[in-house]
Amino acid sequence: MKKVCVYIILLSFLFIGIKSVDASICTYSEQAQLNQKAAKIKVVYEEATGILDPSLYDCQADNEDPESCNASYNYFVVSILNMTEDFYITVQNNINNKQKTYYYSDAKDGMISFDWEEIMNIATLTFKVYSSSETGCPRENYRTIYQTLPRKNLYHYYGLCTDNPDYYLCQKYVTFEEMPFYDFMEKINKYTEQIKEEKKEETPQGMPQQILGYFTENIPLVLGVSGVVVLLVVVIVVVLKKRKRRIL
């Protein structure tokens, strides 16, 4: 029994010694360097277009247009930038909670890319950056990045949106939940009426309206000039009358 206790004590000291060795490997200097490198890692995304496989849906190609069955679809290409061998990254989404791990071996020129096709829903991707076994501080979480991916907005293809592409409800990709059709129509109609009113106010006025507007804005000046003109007319009439009497 005493021997068993001795072995247990020796094993305990052995594990403590191993932990202290591991802790001594990960220096503050290396931790600071890893923090700096992790801060440079970025996540970006861009829209891409793919071609659907015609065998996946019923399509009768036009003999005059062989590409008439080349239906396209949109998706996002998500890229992790500035990846180094010091890290590995786990990516989890909030749609189906699936998680995948990417390593430096998956990178090309420091960039890892993958496709995201669930574009009909707003998604949040969580990127957790861990130190790799290439460092003295393995399996430590050095950074967490949250990236929101917008959803595709079907109202974008409506005629009202084609005429008002800058309106926020008409953007191709949006980060708000789908709006009921009635609410959308109410808001877009209100917006179009507002645009019409603004254009009316900006439309140049006709000449009569411009003249009337000028007189209205400059009443004192107009009255002064009118008084001078009337006075001149009176003077001219009086002078002409005097000359006429002299002739007679």
Side-chain angles (χ1 to χ4, degrees):
M1 183 68 179
K2 290 182 178 180
K3 289 184 178 180
V4 174
C5 291
V6 170
Y7 286 137
I8 292 174
I9 293 171
L10 289 174
L11 287 173
S12 299
F13 280 116
L14 179 62
F15 282 119
I16 293 172
I18 291 174
K19 288 184 178 180
S20 64
V21 170
D22 285 342
S24 64
I25 293 175
C26 185
T27 64
Y28 287 112
S29 175
E30 185 172 12
Q31 289 180 15
Q33 291 178 0
L34 289 172
N35 276 319
Q36 291 177 357
K37 291 179 180 179
K40 294 179 181 179
I41 295 176
K42 297 181 180 180
V43 176
V44 297
Y45 69 92
E46 62 180 350
E47 182 190 38
T49 302
I51 302 298
L52 287 173
D53 184 352
S55 64
L56 299 177
Y57 60 99
D58 185 19
C59 178
Q60 302 296 325
D62 188 345
N63 293 331
E64 296 181 359
D65 184 8
E67 297 185 357
S68 60
C69 276
N70 290 348
S72 62
Y73 67 97
N74 297 122
Y75 62 96
F76 292 135
V77 176
V78 182
S79 298
I80 305 170
L81 308 180
N82 303 323
M83 181 71 169
T84 70
E85 62 183 359
D86 299 310
F87 303 103
Y88 66 92
I89 298 177
T90 63
V91 183
Q92 185 174 19
N93 71 78
N94 68 327
I95 302 299
N96 53 25
N97 292 319
K98 286 186 177 181
Q99 179 175 297
K100 185 172 182 178
T101 303
Y102 293 93
Y103 300 91
Y104 181 67
S105 57
D106 298 315
K108 183 178 180 180
D109 297 327
M111 181 173 70
I112 297 173
S113 295
F114 60 89
D115 297 342
W116 178 260
E117 297 183 352
E118 298 290 335
I119 64 172
M120 299 310 296
N121 297 293
I122 301 170
T124 299
L125 304 185
T126 303
F127 299 78
K128 292 189 175 182
V129 182
Y130 293 93
S131 51
S132 70
S133 57
E134 298 295 324
T135 70
C137 313
R139 299 179 298 279
E140 295 290 336
N141 180 210
Y142 275 84
R143 191 180 177 195
T144 300
I145 303 171
Y146 299 98
Q147 178 63 60
T148 298
L149 301 179
R151 68 173 178 84
K152 195 170 188 179
N153 178 23
L154 296 181
Y155 294 139
H156 168 76
Y157 300 95
Y158 281 49
L160 284 170
C161 277
T162 303
D163 297 333
N164 300 280
D166 296 330
Y167 188 45
Y168 81 101
L169 290 180
C170 293
Q171 302 301 303
K172 187 174 183 179
Y173 295 102
V174 294
T175 54
F176 53 82
E177 295 298 334
E178 186 172 357
M179 180 178 294
F181 178 73
Y182 175 81
D183 293 341
F184 166 75
M185 290 300 297
E186 183 179 23
K187 289 180 179 295
I188 189 68
N189 285 328
K190 184 177 180 180
Y191 174 77
T192 54
E193 289 299 324
Q194 180 181 347
I195 294 298
K196 288 179 181 178
E197 291 298 323
E198 290 176 356
K199 287 183 177 179
K200 284 182 181 179
E201 294 176 0
E202 294 174 359
T203 302
Q205 296 179 339
M207 185 60 68
Q209 290 179 322
Q210 289 181 351
I211 294 173
L212 180 60
Y214 176 81
F215 282 132
T216 304
E217 294 175 0
N218 300 275
I219 291 177
L221 179 61
V222 171
L223 291 176
V225 172
S226 300
V228 172
V229 171
V230 171
L231 181 60
L232 288 174
V233 170
V234 171
V235 171
I236 292 171
V237 170
V238 171
V239 170
L240 289 175
K241 285 184 176 181
K242 287 182 176 181
R243 286 184 178 180
K244 194 171 183 180
R245 288 175 180 173
R246 288 176 184 177
I247 294 172
L248 295 173

